[in-house]
Amino acid sequence: MKFIETQYGNKTEILKFPDHYVNLAITVSDEGITANAEGKKIVAAGTILGGGVLEDDNALAVKASTDENGSNAEGILFNDVDVTHGPASGALLIHGFVALDKLPKAPTKEDKAALKQITFLK
């Protein structure tokens, strides 16, 4: 029998106005995620994701990237997702007002241009 111990903490709130937003259900990929000191692979809330999830329900959400054509960003991860044991369910913010100081990494100008329905506020 396998037991997994889970420790819970406070949720990271990325929204500036938590009463006005739209999320989509997604599956977050575990590819390219490095384990932390405890051996867990956590994709942090506020991570900008892409991967074709808006067009394909079966696509895995991956960290957004930027090239000469712009960013492939499609949304922002709403809550921390533990992908230690493989791809896991999450929520992708596609519309709302996000506090810049709550994000793990500032969005690039290409990310901001791709995320047309998300407003970034200080």
Side-chain angles (χ1 to χ4, degrees), residues 62-97:
V62 296
K63 287 185 180 180
S65 60
T66 303
D67 62 17
E68 65 276 351
N69 297 322
S71 174
N72 67 348
E74 295 178 296
I76 301 174
L77 190 60
F78 194 67
N79 294 312
D80 291 347
V81 175
D82 185 344
V83 294
T84 304
H85 303 292
S89 298
L92 186 70
L93 178 77
I94 60 167
H95 174 75
F97 299 89

Side-chain angles (χ1 to χ4, degrees), residues 28-40:
V28 180
S29 174
D30 60 336
E31 218 172 285
I33 307 301
T34 306
N36 63 16
E38 298 169 352
K40 295 187 177 204

Side-chain angles (χ1 to χ4, degrees), residues 46-50 54 64 71-77 92-96 98 103 106-120:
T47 301
I48 298 174
L49 300 176
L54 296 180
S71 174
N72 67 348
E74 295 178 296
I76 301 174
L77 190 60
L92 186 70
L93 178 77
I94 60 167
H95 174 75
V98 174
L103 301 179
T108 64
K109 66 179 181 177
E110 292 85 5
D111 290 337
K112 288 180 179 180
L115 300 172
K116 295 174 180 67
Q117 295 188 49
I118 296 177
T119 302
F120 295 93

